[in-house]
Amino acid sequence: MSIRENIAEIRRRIDEAARETGRTGADITLVGASKMNDAAACQEAIAAGIDVLGENRVQEMVAKLAENAYDGAPLHFIGHLQRNKVKYLVGRVDLIESIDSLALLQEVQRLAEKRGVTQDILLEVSAAGEESKGGLPMTEVYSVAEAALGLPNVRVRGLMTIPPVCADPRESRPYFEKVRALSVDINEKLFHNELEYLSMGMSGDFEEAIRAGATMVRVGTAIFGARNYGAAT
């Protein structure tokens, strides 16, 4: 199937899952995770109506920006982020989805202030406390979100999470529900119910994420096909 056909099928499944929660597919933002796909594939996805493109690797993103890969769609950074790479993102991407420490948040503020921009971000949450993955511990999210309110050049737009790898997508549901509950709590207590995004779910579990309350899903292989990691440099 083509990228266009894949996107149409993903949107059908998104709409079906969303309707179970009283919403429709129009309420869910579809991020095409375009890691290891070239500029032509990105442009094909944009032509097919993808909402957003999302990159995991800073170096790859910078190279594809130079090729105008993302022209016509918003760009999110969705991968693990090191402090020394923040300079490549601030003011260049519409949303950084993977802020997982106070130090990283402060570096975004420093550069955004220097460049005279306001950078939109999501706070990444570790729902299972896996040390091998990024994400703020559940117990620290509130304090970091509160700290963000004092940073004039950073705007928190919501939360993001990646659950543990599960054989059955339904096993991811409790993790999604935990982060959804946390999102509701901090939204009410800190952000006047103005948070817009709850980014949860990928190719294998996005329907369960939507059933648990996701408003944004990040789908890669189900749109672009399997990635050839053996060819990666």
Side-chain angles (χ1 to χ4, degrees), residues 80 100 124 126 129-136 162-166 202:
H80 177 67
D100 63 358
E124 182 177 355
S126 175
E130 295 176 287
E131 292 185 4
S132 61
K133 290 184 179 177
L136 288 157
I162 303 172
V165 176
C166 300
M202 297 186 286

Side-chain angles (χ1 to χ4, degrees), residues 138-220:
M138 295 279 290
T139 55
E140 295 180 16
V141 175
Y142 190 97
S143 63
V144 174
E146 195 169 33
L149 290 174
L151 303 178
N153 296 86
V154 174
R155 183 168 63 159
V156 178
R157 303 294 302 279
L159 303 182
M160 183 269 263
T161 196
I162 303 172
V165 176
C166 300
D168 185 335
R170 290 173 294 185
E171 296 175 11
S172 298
R173 183 74 171 268
Y175 300 104
F176 293 142
E177 290 176 342
K178 283 171 61 177
V179 177
R180 162 67 175 172
L182 178 63
S183 174
V184 169
D185 185 52
I186 69 167
N187 199 8
E188 179 181 337
K189 292 178 179 177
L190 295 178
F191 294 99
H192 309 290
N193 292 312
E194 294 178 354
L195 295 184
E196 182 177 0
Y197 296 128
L198 184 57
S199 181
M200 308 191 299
M202 297 186 286
S203 289
D205 58 12
F206 67 85
E207 287 151 310
E208 286 301 319
I210 291 169
R211 293 182 184 112
T215 65
M216 179 184 287
V217 295
R218 309 175 305 275
V219 179

Side-chain angles (χ1 to χ4, degrees), residues 7 11 30-32 42 45-53 72-74 219 223-224:
I7 289 175
R11 287 203 184 279
L30 175 58
V31 179
C42 292
I46 291 168
I50 198 77
D51 296 322
V52 175
L53 286 173
V219 179
I223 290 175
F224 296 101

